[in-house]
Amino acid sequence: MISIQQLSKTYTSKEGTVVGVDDVSLSINQGEVFGIVGYSGAGKSTLLRCLNILERPTNGKVTIDGIDLMSLSSKELRKARQSIGMIFQGFHLTMAKTVVENVGFALKAAGVGRVERKQRAEELLELVGLSDKANQYPAQLSGGQKQRVSIARALANNPKVLLCDEATSALDPNTTQSILHLLKKINKELGLTIVLITHEMEVVKEICDRCAVMEQGRVVEEGDTYDIFANPQNELTERFIKTVIDFTIPEALLKKTQGTIVLLKFTGELAGEAIVSDLLQEHRIRGNILHGKIDYIQEKPLGTFVMELKGDEQEVNRALASLGATLGEVEVIENDRSTDYTMARAE
C-alpha cells in the first residue's frame, strides 16, 4: 500500500546541511495501523510530511497505492492528496466557521456541491460522535471534540490513507483513549490505512499493528508491535518500552533480598499458564513476586515478572534451566552493592 524507498530529506542552514530523514525504507500494508515513534527531533514528523509531499524528499521514492507521488505534476499531486487524509496535534480548524462548515471545507475545495457537501459532513459528524455539535464553533469545543472534527474533516474525501501527526499529544489520558478508540473504529469499519506519529509508546501499544522506532533521522528498529515489546533489539526501543512496562526494582528492596532475583517474560499462551508455581513445587523452592504485570498487546498477553527464588542452590539452578527452556529467555538480576545491579542472561 505504502512503499518508502531510501528516502532522505536534508535542509540547508547557516550552520550547514541538516539531515531530517536519513535513508529510510519502509513498507506499510493495506488496512494496518503503523506507528512511527521517536523523541523530538528524531525525524518522524518530517518523514510523515514526505508521505504526501508536504515536504518534498531530497532523495528516494514514495509510492502510495501504486502511484509514485514524486513523479506527479502539481495538479496531479493535488488530486492524489485527496486520497490521503491528515490530522495534526494542533487541530488546524478555522475558528470563524462552524463544525459542519469545517468538515465540509475539504469537500468544497474538491468541487463538491453545497447540498452534497452538507450531507456528507453530517454523516461524518455522526461517525465521530459529534452530530449535536454541527452548528457550534471550534472555540466552544473541548480538545478531544476538536480532534474529532479534524478526523471527520480528514475523512471527507474518502481517503485510503490517514496520516496522524502527534494526534493525541495535546490531549489528557482519558481523551487520548477515546480518540484511539475512534481511530481503531475507523480503521476497522472503513478499512483505512493509518500511519501514526507519536513519542508515546503507550499509544503504539494500544493501537498499532506494526511500528518503527526512529532516532536521528534513521529507523533503528521495525516490526510487529507485539514482537518489539516482547523482545526489543535496540537500546532506544528498550527505553521507550520501559515507559510502559517498567520492571526496575528499587535498590533498597534488593538489599533486603537473600535469594536469586530473576526477570521472567511470558509471551502468548504461556502468560496464562501456571509455569512458575509448577516449577516451585517440582524443585521444592520458594518464590516471592517482587513485581508482576500482564499487558495486552494486539489482544495477546505479555507477562513480565520479577521474582526472588529461595532454596537449595542446585535446585534453583535447575529451576532456572527449566524456565529458560520453556520461556526462551530468563535474566538473573545480580545484586551488586557498589553499583546498583546488573543483568545477565541465565545459561
Side-chain angles (χ1 to χ4, degrees):
M1 174 58 178
I2 300 176
S3 175
I4 305 165
Q5 299 176 29
Q6 298 179 310
L7 190 144
S8 296
K9 175 63 181 178
T10 59
Y11 304 90
T12 302
S13 67
K14 294 180 180 179
E15 290 75 27
T17 300
V18 177
V19 179
V21 179
D22 187 4
D23 193 29
V24 168
S25 295
L26 289 171
S27 293
I28 300 171
N29 301 321
Q30 167 68 41
E32 76 176 346
V33 181
F34 191 93
I36 302 175
V37 63
Y39 291 119
S40 178
K44 56 190 187 298
S45 291
T46 301
L47 175 60
L48 189 78
R49 290 194 296 271
C50 285
L51 293 188
N52 58 4
I53 320 298
L54 285 178
E55 294 272 6
R56 181 164 285 274
T58 307
N59 294 298
K61 187 175 181 180
V62 178
T63 303
I64 295 182
D65 201 23
I67 299 173
D68 178 4
L69 298 187
M70 295 284 287
S71 68
L72 300 181
S73 66
S74 297
K75 182 179 180 180
E76 290 170 334
L77 183 58
R78 283 194 297 271
K79 183 172 180 59
R81 282 185 181 138
Q82 291 180 10
S83 65
I84 307 171
M86 190 164 186
I87 58 175
F88 305 87
Q89 176 181 349
F91 315 130
H92 291 197
L93 300 177
T94 303
M95 304 304 286
K97 294 184 180 294
T98 64
V99 165
V100 73
E101 288 171 340
N102 266 280
V103 174
F105 182 77
L107 292 167
K108 184 177 181 180
V112 177
R114 184 174 61 84
V115 174
E116 185 181 348
R117 192 164 67 233
K118 185 173 183 294
Q119 181 180 353
R120 173 64 175 158
E122 289 174 347
E123 290 173 356
L124 289 167
L125 288 175
E126 183 176 355
L127 175 67
V128 301
L130 288 180
S131 294
D132 58 333
K133 307 294 183 183
N135 296 315
Q136 293 189 9
Y137 289 86
Q140 298 173 279
L141 305 179
S142 67
Q145 289 170 337
K146 290 176 184 176
Q147 195 58 286
R148 286 173 180 267
V149 176
S150 296
I151 293 171
R153 182 184 59 188
L155 298 176
N157 285 309
N158 294 306
K160 297 177 181 178
V161 175
L162 181 62
L163 307 180
C164 306
D165 191 4
E166 298 278 11
T168 60
S169 295
L171 307 176
D172 63 74
N174 287 336
T175 306
T176 292
Q177 286 297 316
S178 71
I179 293 299
L180 293 179
H181 179 77
L182 175 60
L183 290 175
K184 281 183 182 179
K185 174 185 174 182
I186 290 168
N187 170 251
K188 290 181 179 180
E189 292 185 3
L190 305 182
L192 206 62
T193 302
I194 298 178
V195 183
L196 190 149
I197 296 297
T198 184
H199 63 272
E200 300 170 295
M201 206 63 180
E202 182 68 40
V203 171
V204 174
K205 170 178 168 285
E206 287 292 322
I207 192 174
C208 296
D209 301 304
R210 293 193 303 126
C211 65
V213 181
M214 289 191 70
E215 183 178 33
Q216 296 181 346
R218 299 185 67 89
V219 171
V220 297
E221 188 161 359
E222 174 200 355
D224 179 270
T225 299
Y226 186 91
D227 293 340
I228 282 180
F229 269 83
N231 188 28
Q233 300 297 306
N234 184 273
E235 182 181 349
L236 176 63
T237 309
E238 290 183 354
R239 293 205 304 269
F240 269 115
I241 290 172
K242 277 191 174 183
T243 65
V244 180
I245 305 174
D246 188 10
F247 47 80
T248 302
I249 304 300
E251 176 67 13
L253 178 59
L254 281 175
K255 287 180 178 179
K256 295 178 182 179
T257 61
Q258 297 177 340
T260 301
I261 313 301
V262 294
L263 168 66
L264 311 174
K265 283 186 180 180
F266 297 81
T267 59
E269 295 180 357
L270 292 176
E273 297 183 5
I275 295 171
V276 173
S277 61
D278 290 346
L279 276 173
L280 294 179
Q281 293 181 26
E282 179 184 345
H283 295 280
R284 295 186 229 180
I285 58 177
R286 289 171 293 148
N288 177 30
I289 295 178
L290 305 177
H291 169 90
K293 185 180 182 183
I294 295 180
D295 291 273
Y296 287 86
I297 303 167
Q298 299 171 332
E299 300 182 354
K300 293 193 294 185
L302 173 63
T304 307
F305 294 89
V306 178
M307 297 188 64
E308 178 186 15
L309 302 181
K310 293 182 179 180
D312 179 80
E313 183 177 353
Q314 289 186 344
E315 287 299 312
V316 169
N317 288 335
R318 289 192 186 101
L320 288 174
S322 296
L323 284 169
T326 303
L327 303 179
E329 180 179 341
V330 175
E331 292 184 36
V332 176
I333 302 176
E334 298 174 341
N335 192 359
D336 185 329
R337 306 300 180 186
S338 61
T339 59
D340 295 329
Y341 62 86
T342 59
M343 290 185 179
R345 184 173 298 180
E347 298 297 335

